Amino acid sequence: MKKRFCLIPLLTLAMPLFRPAPLAAAPAGPAYVRTKVLHADATIREGFTQNTSLEALQRVVLYPRVTGRLEKLTVAKGAVVEKGQQIAVLAHAEQDAQIAAARAAVARTRAEWANAQIELQRYQRLKKEGFSTQQLLDSKDTAYRSARAQYDAAKSDLDRLTVTRDEYIITASIAGTVLNDYALAPGAMLSPNTPVAELADLSVIKATFRVPEKRFYSVRPGMSVLLSLDALPKEEFRAQIVKVDDYIDPQSRTAAVEAQLENAAAGDKLRPGMFGRAFVVEREATGAFVVPTSALRLDRAADPENNELVLHDHGAAKVVKVKTGISQGVDVQILAGLKNGDEVIVFGGNALKDGDPVRLMQ
């Protein structure tokens, strides 16, 4: 019987002899990063935003005090008027006739009073000289007093009619701009419930908004508010808080806030009714170093005293300690640890160590 040989174990034992030598590890290349050269010229703010609408500081709707037919409207929408300027006139021919009659009565009673005064003075002399009795003098004195009373009554009636006639002439109670003339035409019948014109002083505009209860002690008069308006999306306007309600509405759990600004400082572009957003500035810094928050070492970002940034220093990484300040969106202020011209790595620097080679992304 022939013996058989198994070659498999021999081949298995021989296999390590034919394994290739391990390849040497390739040297690590530089990390690719993006950088930002810093200058202390940025502005950064911290605060919160609320919806707001604009109003005129002074705004009034004029109504007639009496019922009458519109004779003429002397202003139109958009007109600028002075306080006391005529706005509209109601027909008042009847009142004019009454005033004319009252003036005639005043003139007549004034003449009668003057005659009675002359007569009284004459009888006073006669009585002194012994040519008149006391009874006659008393009658002249009574006539004088009666004439004076009639004159006073006529003058009072004229004054009353003049005031009544003035109510048929509607004048501006404030200086400002006519926002609405209600398209009234001569001949329209007006009553004390009919609006004639709406006026607003547009020189000072107020922005009103409400703040939630948790922000109640964050706002106070004198703080700045930055307004961005839907009608003027590319512009921003700075107002100042002038009033904060002393109470919180129990229904909405909010408090009302009012900020004001001069319309001239906004180029006279602001109008009542505009809607937008009010950013209440709680803290603000100008001339500041500002970097993206993502550039900070993420595991240290919660501690403003112990943050790190990585700089690009002649092709190598350089880790520096920094102190952070105001945060605004994706940006953060650097208070200490940087100088003008430093090149901060804003992308790709989280895992770098001092001296690691870096290359700028194209």
Side-chain angles (χ1 to χ4, degrees), residues 66-355:
V66 294
T67 298
R69 197 171 302 280
L70 180 64
E71 187 173 278
K72 61 181 177 179
L73 191 66
T74 56
V75 297
K77 187 184 297 185
V80 177
V81 298
E82 298 296 328
K83 183 177 180 179
Q85 182 176 330
Q86 187 182 95
I87 301 297
V89 178
L90 276 62
H92 54 277
E94 182 179 347
Q95 285 69 33
D96 287 345
Q98 292 174 352
I99 287 175
R103 283 174 177 163
V106 167
R108 175 176 53 78
T109 56
R110 182 190 293 116
E112 292 173 352
W113 174 35
N115 289 335
Q117 185 177 28
I118 292 171
E119 190 72 1
L120 174 62
Q121 291 170 348
R122 188 169 72 89
Y123 270 82
Q124 286 173 337
R125 288 194 303 272
L126 290 173
K127 173 66 172 60
K128 187 175 181 180
E129 295 170 358
F131 295 105
S132 176
T133 65
Q134 184 65 41
Q135 184 178 5
L136 284 174
L137 179 60
D138 290 344
S139 67
K140 297 302 180 182
D141 183 66
T142 299
Y144 167 78
R145 294 177 185 275
S146 176
R148 172 63 187 269
Q150 290 177 9
Y151 168 77
D152 289 343
K155 184 68 168 58
S156 177
D157 191 45
L158 175 61
D159 291 343
R160 177 183 60 80
L161 290 171
T162 301
V163 169
T164 301
R165 197 276 306 273
D166 288 346
E167 292 180 347
Y168 287 77
I169 300 174
I170 301 169
T171 59
S173 58
I174 62 171
T177 302
V178 179
L179 300 184
N180 198 344
D181 60 7
Y182 298 98
L184 293 175
M189 196 66 184
L190 308 183
S191 75
N193 295 322
T194 309
V196 174
E198 182 178 10
L199 308 180
D201 179 1
L202 301 182
S203 63
V204 179
I205 297 294
K206 63 181 180 180
T208 57
F209 54 94
R210 306 192 71 86
V211 297
E213 183 177 3
K214 65 180 180 180
R215 298 282 193 178
F216 182 72
Y217 289 108
S218 299
V219 294
R220 60 189 180 278
M223 292 177 65
S224 291
V225 175
L226 301 178
L227 303 175
S228 55
L229 304 169
D230 292 351
L232 300 164
K234 296 182 179 180
E235 299 187 63
E236 187 176 71
F237 307 95
R238 184 180 289 265
Q240 188 176 64
I241 293 177
V242 296
K243 184 167 60 177
V244 181
D245 272 0
D246 289 330
Y247 68 95
I248 295 171
D249 186 335
Q251 301 298 322
S252 63
R253 311 308 308 173
T254 60
V257 178
E258 179 183 316
Q260 294 180 9
L261 71 159
E262 297 284 340
N263 205 351
D268 289 317
K269 297 177 181 179
L270 306 183
R271 293 294 180 271
M274 285 184 173
F275 181 80
R277 281 142 300 283
F279 179 80
V280 179
V281 181
E282 294 178 295
R283 292 199 295 165
E284 182 176 33
T286 58
F289 289 119
V290 174
V291 301
T293 306
S294 59
L296 294 171
R297 298 283 188 163
L298 298 181
D299 58 340
R300 301 173 183 266
D303 183 0
E305 300 292 338
N306 194 23
N307 281 283
E308 291 179 350
L309 286 174
V310 184
L311 306 183
H312 175 231
D313 184 21
H314 299 92
K318 179 182 178 182
V319 180
V320 295
K321 299 282 188 180
V322 295
K323 180 181 178 181
T324 59
I326 297 172
S327 295
Q328 181 182 7
V330 298
D331 293 327
V332 64
Q333 176 193 13
I334 303 300
L335 296 174
L338 295 178
K339 62 182 184 299
N340 266 315
D342 278 346
E343 190 174 359
V344 175
I345 295 175
V346 296
F347 177 81
N350 276 338
L352 295 175
K353 302 184 295 296
D354 259 337

